[in-house]
Amino acid sequence: MSDDEVDHELLDLLRKSLGLGPPDPSAPPETKILENAEYIYHNSIDVALDMRYSKLAAAEIFKQMQERDYGTKTWSEHPLHPKSKDENTVNFIFTMDLLNFSFWSEKSEAERFAVSYKDQRWTGYWSLVAVLQRALDEDIPITTPSFWANEEECSEEVLKKVFRSETDEEIPLFQERLKCLREAGQIIEEEFDSSITVLIEDAKNSAAGLVNLLAERFTCFRDEGRYDGKKVRFLKRAQIFVADLWAAFDGEGYGSFNDIDKITMFADYRVPQMLHSLGCMSFCPPLEGKIRRLEPIESGHSWELQIRGCSIWCIELLRREILKLDPDAKVNAILIDFFLYDLAKEREKNGDEVEEMIPHHRTRSIWY
């Protein structure tokens, strides 16, 4: 080889080491969500994390999770979640997470959207699960993708019946939920043989692969934004679909993933609220004032992106601290998120504790 000739093999190695050129098709899938969250955290000026309180919170969370024997089986113990481990449960979970967004209300507890089912009144996330169970009891195939795509059978009038409330307030973002159902039904029919299980199988047991597949094929799962000039990904509902599958099937069958720990927490309302109450997260005075005054924050606003990104990174720090306490601990970001969400709902029942907690931030969007 002369001095003027190019060593293409060496050049390819250099390009790969610098992250240049096309991605390696044989490399395992990555969602980049955690990487983007770390970027937001390091460049955040309005949201901060406290490492000292994070260490204390990690120890307390791990202690309580051990005392409660908290794990994947806890998911199925919730009153309305499906119990069978079959394709019907897969369809239920996909429908649930397709529509799993924006339940908060500006109305009082008595006036907000609520669903009566099984002699109980359900609000928030549980109102959606109750809606789906009630529709199935009424022989409305609400968890069937081909039904969503059929505008005659699945008309707006039928869906209004499905989502009917016992109050005068209808479910928030009804039209957006209808659009999500229509889009998902059409794509699953055309690209996945009308089967959600085919969609799952296309990911080849990769949690990150399934998250990426959802974000790539369905615009209604493409939960992204721009922070400080950089595209950042959150993919809350795509991730929680994978997590719910994993939990519902106890890591087996349709819930078997070889990289489940690549899933981060699900950046929404309740977990940031809990992280603040635990002392792990703090807000600049203007942002905290806006949250306490219950004023809405626009979807995609820098404040909202910082809250979501720092929440993801904080849960990752808690996970790492727990593993320092016990390297053999069976814990990941999914279980920590589930636990803190359940804890937030428990505290809602205690008026004194709720008064001490900051309200959750108000952002109306389909992303969470």
Side-chain angles (χ1 to χ4, degrees):
M1 178 186 294
S2 70
D3 290 341
D4 295 330
E5 290 179 348
V6 176
D7 186 335
H8 291 285
E9 187 175 336
L10 182 60
L11 187 59
D12 285 342
L13 286 172
L14 180 61
R15 283 173 172 164
K16 286 179 181 178
S17 69
L18 295 174
L20 303 174
D24 181 358
S26 63
E30 298 290 342
T31 66
K32 297 189 176 180
I33 297 168
L34 189 61
E35 173 189 322
N36 293 166
E38 184 180 16
Y39 174 83
I40 292 172
Y41 164 69
H42 285 303
N43 293 277
S44 177
I45 56 174
D46 302 302
V47 180
L49 303 181
D50 188 308
M51 297 302 107
R52 184 171 65 91
Y53 276 103
S54 294
K55 288 178 181 290
L56 295 172
E60 182 60 27
I61 289 168
F62 184 45
K63 176 188 171 187
Q64 290 197 36
M65 289 178 78
Q66 286 180 305
E67 289 175 353
R68 302 183 188 202
D69 192 24
Y70 201 90
T72 54
K73 288 183 170 59
T74 309
W75 191 94
S76 296
E77 293 171 359
H78 286 292
L80 293 179
H81 280 161
K83 307 296 185 283
S84 62
K85 298 184 186 302
D86 56 22
E87 188 172 349
N88 290 330
T89 290
V90 171
N91 291 348
F92 190 99
I93 292 172
F94 185 88
T95 311
M96 182 175 75
D97 291 325
L98 178 66
L99 303 172
N100 186 359
F101 55 83
S102 199
F103 302 107
W104 59 272
S105 174
E106 295 176 344
K107 296 184 179 295
S108 69
E109 188 64 23
E111 297 174 316
R112 67 178 298 186
F113 174 79
V115 174
S116 295
Y117 180 68
K118 299 284 188 183
D119 298 322
Q120 288 195 54
R121 184 178 189 271
W122 306 94
T123 59
Y125 161 76
W126 291 112
S127 68
L128 171 65
V129 189
V131 156
L132 301 182
Q133 295 285 18
R134 181 178 66 185
L136 292 175
D137 288 353
E138 295 171 351
D139 295 324
I140 300 172
I142 191 59
T143 60
T144 303
S146 58
F147 175 68
W148 313 331
N150 187 325
E151 295 190 27
E152 289 186 10
E153 291 184 11
C154 184
S155 65
E156 184 169 335
E157 290 71 27
V158 168
L159 288 176
K160 283 187 174 179
K161 177 186 176 185
V162 168
F163 288 105
R164 68 188 183 275
S165 173
E166 69 169 33
T167 70
D168 290 335
E169 184 181 39
E170 74 169 20
I171 191 167
L173 301 183
F174 172 80
Q175 288 297 328
E176 285 76 5
R177 294 176 202 277
L178 187 153
K179 289 176 185 176
C180 287
L181 287 168
R182 293 276 189 257
E183 179 198 3
Q186 182 177 351
I187 291 171
I188 292 169
E189 268 204 323
E190 294 177 355
E191 300 186 29
F192 300 101
D193 298 328
S194 299
S195 173
I196 296 166
T197 59
V198 170
L199 167 68
I200 295 168
E201 288 162 2
D202 279 5
K204 299 179 173 61
N205 295 103
S206 170
L210 183 51
V211 168
N212 289 340
L213 183 60
L214 287 168
E216 176 189 340
R217 302 294 179 88
F218 302 82
T219 58
C220 62
F221 277 109
R222 202 170 300 150
D223 176 12
E224 302 171 340
R226 294 198 70 82
Y227 180 72
D228 198 27
K230 178 183 174 68
K231 185 177 88 168
V232 290
R233 310 180 92 199
F234 302 99
L235 305 183
K236 184 261 183 175
R237 287 171 27 251
Q239 287 206 114
I240 204 169
F241 172 58
V242 174
D244 283 344
L245 280 177
W246 175 69
F249 289 87
D250 201 21
E252 299 177 351
Y254 293 117
S256 174
F257 298 101
N258 54 36
D259 56 352
I260 193 64
D261 289 345
K262 286 184 179 179
I263 301 300
T264 71
M265 68 82 75
F266 321 114
D268 60 4
Y269 312 102
R270 290 300 186 184
V271 174
Q273 181 188 32
M274 283 300 302
L275 292 174
H276 183 277
S277 74
L278 292 169
C280 302
M281 178 181 286
S282 60
F283 307 123
C284 69
L287 172 54
E288 179 159 340
K290 195 172 186 72
I291 293 172
R292 290 192 181 277
R293 291 191 299 271
L294 308 182
E295 295 174 0
I297 300 172
E298 184 181 352
S299 179
H301 189 283
S302 173
W303 280 350
E304 186 228 9
L305 300 182
Q306 289 177 70
I307 291 172
R308 299 184 78 195
C310 288
S311 296
I312 293 172
W313 189 244
C314 188
I315 295 298
E316 172 63 14
L317 295 179
L318 292 176
R319 185 190 70 83
R320 294 179 184 183
E321 288 298 328
I322 290 173
L323 290 176
K324 287 179 185 177
L325 295 171
D326 182 356
D328 297 323
K330 303 296 183 185
V331 66
N332 57 22
I334 297 171
L335 292 176
I336 297 171
D337 181 292
F338 283 172
F339 177 78
L340 289 177
Y341 178 86
D342 288 344
L343 193 61
K345 301 305 285 185
E346 284 179 23
R347 288 191 174 186
E348 271 193 343
K349 298 177 182 178
N350 186 325
D352 294 334
E353 289 193 35
V354 169
E355 288 178 9
E356 295 172 7
M357 289 177 67
I358 193 171
H360 65 75
H361 70 283
R362 261 69 174 170
T363 296
R364 187 72 78 188
S365 79
I366 72 167
W367 306 126
Y368 60 100

